[in-house]
Amino acid sequence: MAIRNIRVDDDPILRKKSRPITEFNDRLFELLDDMKDTMYNSGGVGLAGVQVGALRRVVVMDVSEDRNDYIELINPEITEVQGEQTGTEGCLSLPGLCGTVTRPNVVKVKAQNREGKWCLYKGEGLKARCFCHEIDHLDGILYKDKLDEGEVLYRTDSEQ
Ligand code: NI
């Protein structure tokens, strides 16, 4: 396992569409293990493959305070959304910035696990927000594209 470099700012790879995973092999497991290490090392709540330069449809997440709710999503798809929430969002690929984004409040996702088995996930609040944010990464979309009307990016260290 290793910590990989996170692609940031205007790196063009962040705008590319990731390809589905078709082979569940050691190369995939190594990528997932490295993504897990990289996410925890950086203190993030989620990381998509593209953020470490791998244009594959994979996401790792842990939105819990005590860092014990680790999940891996392979070829994830949102199957259902409910409600709405408005809150502040940040991204490891846009360091030092945050912005206000409205997302669904409840999100259901189907995704494959390491064995290729399809599993269902349901997230509410921050977890729902994270599902949306990470799956957007797989299509080259960043949260700054989805800021609420009239909103701008803030520096996280600025006084608001
Ligand atoms: Ni992000």
Side-chain angles (χ1 to χ4, degrees):
M1 301 210 279
I3 291 164
R4 299 198 187 190
N5 281 337
I6 296 178
R7 304 300 188 94
V8 297
D9 300 327
D10 295 324
D11 190 320
I13 200 171
L14 293 170
R15 293 310 194 167
K16 294 191 172 161
K17 197 172 163 77
S18 295
R19 297 184 305 276
I21 295 288
T22 53
E23 300 200 27
F24 295 76
N25 54 21
D26 286 346
R27 192 174 154 82
L28 170 65
F29 305 152
E30 187 182 351
L31 172 62
L32 289 166
D33 289 341
D34 288 355
M35 286 172 64
K36 179 182 183 183
D37 278 359
T38 306
M39 175 183 71
Y40 282 122
N41 180 257
S42 59
V45 295
L47 191 70
V50 60
Q51 293 182 273
V52 293
L55 281 170
R56 312 311 304 269
R57 301 188 80 82
V58 291
V59 165
V60 298
M61 276 176 46
D62 185 348
V63 299
S64 68
E65 297 241 324
D66 42 9
R67 319 251 71 188
N68 64 356
D69 186 28
Y70 176 70
I71 55 175
E72 294 174 344
L73 306 172
I74 300 168
N75 299 326
E77 289 171 35
I78 292 174
T79 59
E80 199 180 320
V81 300
Q82 290 166 16
E84 213 174 72
Q85 58 172 319
T86 298
T88 304
E89 213 159 298
C91 179
L92 293 171
S93 291
L94 299 172
L97 297 173
C98 63
T100 303
V101 185
T102 296
R103 301 275 195 185
N105 192 47
V106 178
V107 173
K108 290 183 183 172
V109 171
K110 71 168 187 175
Q112 285 169 284
N113 64 14
R114 285 189 185 215
E115 288 78 50
K117 183 172 178 286
W118 287 95
C119 304
L120 299 174
Y121 301 88
K122 183 181 176 184
E124 195 173 341
L126 176 60
K127 196 167 191 174
R129 177 176 292 283
C130 198
F131 280 143
C132 296
H133 177 118
E134 299 308 331
I135 292 170
D136 273 352
H137 270 302
L138 305 182
D139 293 317
I141 298 165
L142 298 172
Y143 80 85
K144 69 176 179 179
D145 307 335
K146 296 192 159 180
L147 295 178
D148 286 357
E149 199 171 340
E151 290 289 335
V152 294
L153 288 174
Y154 293 99
R155 305 262 359 147
T156 48
D157 55 9
S158 68
E159 298 285 326
Q160 289 186 31

